[in-house]
């Protein structure tokens, strides 16, 4: 019996796994503020760029499940940040 586990039976330990990537492009009245609100939650697998009124978030993960989880979390965070920015701007 061998010790340890291997998720890929014939995995080459020296080979990097291919990354799965998702790109989210969302429009915001204040994209800079929304981006600033999200940056503290970013991981090494995420990149955010502001392009005018658009926020472009690129997420790369090794697994499809990991990508899905990170995208789900990011969409929730985007929704919360956008709601807060809208509320603050409405009540100023």
């Amino acid at each position: 019996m061998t010790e340890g586990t291997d998720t890929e039976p014939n995995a080459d330990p020296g080979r990097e796994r291919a990354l799965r990537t998702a790109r989210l492009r969302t429009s915001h009245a204040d994209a800079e503020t929304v981006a600033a609100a999200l940056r503290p939650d970013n991981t090494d697998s995420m990149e955010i760029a502001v392009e005018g009124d658009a926020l472009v978030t690129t997420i790369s993960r090794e697994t499809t499940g990991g990508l899905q989880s990170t995208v789900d979390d990011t969409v929730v965070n985007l929704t919360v940040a956008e709601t807060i920015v809208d509320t603050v701007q409405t009540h100023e």
Side-chain angles (χ1 to χ4, degrees):
M1 178 173 207
T2 60
E3 291 183 17
T5 59
D6 193 357
T7 56
E8 292 183 49
N10 298 317
D12 177 1
R15 187 188 78 182
E16 288 188 34
R17 295 182 69 184
L19 294 177
R20 282 98 172 128
T21 302
R23 175 175 255 168
L24 308 173
R25 183 178 187 88
T26 54
S27 296
H28 305 275
D30 189 348
E32 285 286 348
T33 301
V34 173
L38 295 178
R39 283 192 179 103
D41 290 328
N42 285 1
T43 65
D44 292 340
S45 64
M46 301 172 69
E47 180 180 312
I48 292 180
V50 176
E51 298 176 359
D53 68 345
L55 192 61
V56 180
T57 306
T58 305
I59 302 166
S60 298
R61 296 289 305 268
E62 287 185 358
T63 65
T64 302
L67 179 62
Q68 180 181 357
S69 294
T70 305
V71 168
D72 288 347
D73 290 347
T74 301
V75 169
V76 169
N77 292 343
L78 276 166
T79 302
V80 170
E82 177 70 13
T83 301
I84 291 169
V85 169
D86 285 348
T87 300
V88 168
Q89 290 178 347
T90 300
H91 291 91
E92 283 187 338

